[in-house]
């Protein structure tokens, strides 16, 4: 789905909500929004300051030991993964 279509859909919902008078529907929408927010919050890992320091130190150690990949290699790996996922999706159909 493209961004413009998604944006239009969201604006249409907002427009509908501004004129809607049904308290029951509004309560159901509020419940869905709260459930969605809670779900998003629980799936998003928050990093502590120490987590970020540890990650940076590990990255520095990896660089010092030569444990790195070039941008070009990462792009090739990404393209291979995309090709694989597309092939898997086609196979499932």
């Amino acid at each position: 789905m493209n961004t413009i279509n998604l944006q239009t859909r969201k604006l249409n919902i907002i427009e509908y909500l501004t004129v809607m008078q049904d308290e029951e529907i509004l309560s159901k929408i509020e419940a869905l929004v709260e459930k969605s927010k809670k779900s998003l919050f629980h799936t998003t890992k928050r990093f502590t300051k120490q987590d970020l320091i540890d990650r940076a130190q590990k990255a520095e150690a990896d660089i010092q030991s030569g444990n790195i990949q070039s941008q070009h290699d990462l792009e090739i790996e990404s393209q291979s993964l995309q090709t694989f996922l597309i092939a898997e999706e086609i196979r499932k159909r």
Side-chain angles (χ1 to χ4, degrees), residues 24-64:
E24 185 178 338
I25 291 175
L26 186 58
S27 293
K28 288 179 181 180
I29 291 170
E30 288 173 330
L32 283 171
V33 168
E34 286 304 312
K35 182 178 177 183
S36 176
K37 285 165 60 175
K38 286 178 184 175
S39 174
L40 179 63
F41 178 76
H42 289 297
T43 60
T44 305
K45 182 179 189 286
R46 303 220 184 257
F47 293 108
T48 65
K49 183 177 179 180
Q50 190 58 50
D51 290 335
L52 295 174
I53 291 170
D54 293 344
R55 289 177 64 165
Q57 289 173 337
K58 182 181 181 322
E60 286 295 324
D62 284 342
I63 291 168
Q64 293 299 322

Side-chain angles (χ1 to χ4, degrees), residues 58-59 61-81:
K58 182 181 181 322
D62 284 342
I63 291 168
Q64 293 299 322
S65 67
N67 185 19
I68 58 173
Q69 280 186 291
S70 69
Q71 179 70 30
H72 181 261
D73 290 344
L74 290 172
E75 288 171 359
I76 291 171
E77 186 177 327
S78 176
Q79 184 62 44
S80 296
L81 179 59

